[in-house]
Each structure stands twice: as structure tokens, then as C-alpha cells.
Amino acid sequence: MLLLSSRRYLLARSCSLLRIHAIAMGGHNNSDVGEQQQQAAKKPAGSSLNAAELIAQSANATPAPSTARANLSSIVPGWFSEISAMWPGEAHSLKVEKVLFEGKSDYQDVVVFESATYGRVLVLDGVIQLTQRDECAYQEMITHLPLCSIPNPKKVLVVGGGDGGVLREIARHKSVDQIDICEIDKMVVDVAKEFFPDVAVGFEDPRVNLHIGDGVAFLREVPEGTYDAIIVDSSDPVGPAQALFERPFYRTLDQALRPGGVICTQAESLWVHMPIIKNIVSACRHTFKGSINYAWTSVPTYPSGLIGFMLCSKAGPAVNFLEPCNPIDQAIDPEKSSRRPMKFYNSAMHAAAFSLPQFAKVELEHLLTPPPSS
């Protein structure tokens, strides 16, 4: 399974892009554009163009090279624009001050750049994974929502999450004895350690065991009932990551949990992905026999400015995700938190994350576990 390190998978990998020298020169190479147009003209009649080629032709942009200069716009030189069929008709853009790294691993293109307003930015296959400014919202919420909902979690697994941010947050919990992470792309781990040390610091905790490999295959080998919590920092349910949002994978997660154990997975945006979210909730209802809940948080550099989380528990001791039984002030190691205070999560944010806007309640409320009666 590919791209377990990615938070979101680009359906059309890269769209409007700029060659390496364009950032420095402030423009694109017109000879390259003409060359690409000639190549497009040679396509057999009736053959289809992919999204990158269509946008390149319409905007006279240089299509994506294989060296990861993903979505640096040739229309407005010096800007990164995240364009995808997963969020049609919109694109979030960041001004690029300097490209710090670009490479191509066995699985994906990897780019790091310094932005004007969000600090350093990690991009995989043309899609923003994190920025220094707002990564706290995603990392803290996807971690503490599940871990603060069960008493004394001891064994935790992370699938994906190669930047190390989720590890950093798990390591705050003093009850945790073992943190396993399975990340398929070693380049993501190495790049995070070099360019995002405040995020990748999670790898330094002695409780962390890093496994480089396929997360799906890893889970198949896990003995039943191993983990108290599993956090799936996954990509979008399209292309190679689709299996991570289907019933067989959820059954594997359920088997790896101890009774009453919990999972938390990335679960898309309420504004742009409601049909996908309903499918996720439906699949979870057929698999997990405990609680089923949906939460969300604000992440400005993600599509529509927010991201959701699916939280489920295995049959066993009851779990009420809406009211944390393991409050963060009691769960964390005070010494670790004083060195790196949290920036986003607190108990009030935990409770608020499960409040759905009316349009989402209409679509999802009947599928979710109702709050306990007072």
C-alpha cells in the first residue's frame, strides 16, 4: 500500500507547475511550454488527457516534471497552488520564499519550501501535508481525541505519520509504554528530521519503534488484541489509499485492538467530501461494535480549512468520545509538556470537536452513536 505517509492523496498528482529555475527567475521557460504543446498535439485522436495536461494546455503552464516541483504555479510565479479533483473549483495558495528540498522517493514526490506566512511546508505529490504554523491543530487533535477517551492507554500504533508529529503528541501521555509506527516511505522520515525537527522530535522518544513498510501488511501480522489505540494518519480514499477506508482494513484494525480499544483516522472535510464521509461512517458501523463518532477541527492549509476524524471503539468497556475520561491535564507528563507546550488541544476543544453544523447533522447524526442521556 502506497502513500500511507500522506494526509491527502492527489487524484491528479500535479497540475499547474513551475520548473526549478522559475522561482529564482520569476517566470517559466517558454520553450518548455512550446515543447509540451507539441507533445500534446502528437497524442492519438480520441486519447484522453490527464488533469495535469489539461491544465497545462489551458494555462500555458509547464506540466509536472518527475522531480517533484509540485504545483508551483506558472500563472503567478513564486506561489504554490494546491489543485486537485478532490476539491474541484478551488485551490489554496502560499507564497514561496525558498525551496529547501525536492526529491523523489520510491513512492512519491517530496518537496519542502519556506513560505511567507506559514513557515516551512511539507508537500507530498503536490499536496500539503503540514506547515509549521498550523500542524499543531491536526497532530494534537488526531492524537488526544482518542487517547483522552480511554483510561491509561499503554500500547499505541500509528499507521503512516512519517513526519513524527503524532508520535510527539503520543509521547506526552505518561501511561503509554509502547509506541509502534509503520511508515512506508523512509524519505519522509528523513526529510522531517532534517527540516521539521520540532515535529520529528517524536522519533527521539525511547518508547518508539519505527517500522518502514506497508501498514496494511504490518497490521495483518499483529496478534489479536495488541493495541489500546490505533491512529491512522492516512491519505484520501482514492487511488492506492482506497483500501484504508474499506471494511477489510477496518476489520484488521478491530482485530488488532483490545476490548474497548479505539481508533482514530483522518476522515476528510465536511464541506467538500460528505459522500465519502458517509461511506466511511457506514463501513465503520458494520465493523466496530462500540461507539462511532465523527469530529473535526480547523486546519487553514487543508482543503476548505478543516479536516475530520473518525473515532470508533471495539466491543468491550464502553467509550464515550464526547466526554474524555482521561483528561489531558491528568494524562500528560508535566515535564515533557512544559518543554513543548501544546498549542491547540484542550478539554474544551475536545468536546467542541464533536459538535456538527446543521447540514452535517442531517447527513450523519442517524449513523453516529448518540450522546449519553443526562
Side-chain angles (χ1 to χ4, degrees), residues 262-285:
V262 296
I263 69 152
C264 185
T265 73
Q266 181 274 112
E268 303 302 318
S269 167
L270 291 168
W271 286 111
V272 293
H273 299 132
M274 184 58 74
I276 295 174
I277 293 169
K278 290 174 72 173
N279 287 339
I280 293 171
V281 175
S282 178
C284 287
R285 277 178 58 87

Side-chain angles (χ1 to χ4, degrees), residues 5 7 130 135-144 146-147 156-173 176 179-181 198-203 205 207-208 229-234 264 266 302 309:
S5 59
R7 292 212 167 83
L130 66 85
E135 57 87 12
C136 57
Y138 180 88
Q139 317 277 22
E140 292 179 19
M141 293 295 276
I142 198 172
T143 302
H144 303 304
L147 295 189
V156 183
L157 170 65
V158 181
V159 178
D163 54 66
V166 172
L167 300 178
R168 178 193 66 196
E169 296 306 314
I170 297 172
R172 296 183 190 273
H173 287 254
V176 174
I179 309 171
D180 294 335
I181 175 171
D198 288 342
V199 179
V201 66
F203 287 105
D205 193 282
R207 294 169 290 179
V208 171
I230 301 173
I231 298 170
V232 183
D233 187 359
S234 70
C264 185
Q266 181 274 112
Y302 284 0
F309 308 105

Side-chain angles (χ1 to χ4, degrees), residues 348-370:
M349 289 299 296
H350 183 122
F354 294 93
S355 296
L356 298 178
Q358 187 60 30
F359 75 89
K361 288 182 71 173
V362 170
E363 298 285 350
L364 299 177
E365 193 170 45
H366 65 288
L367 299 171
L368 303 173
T369 302

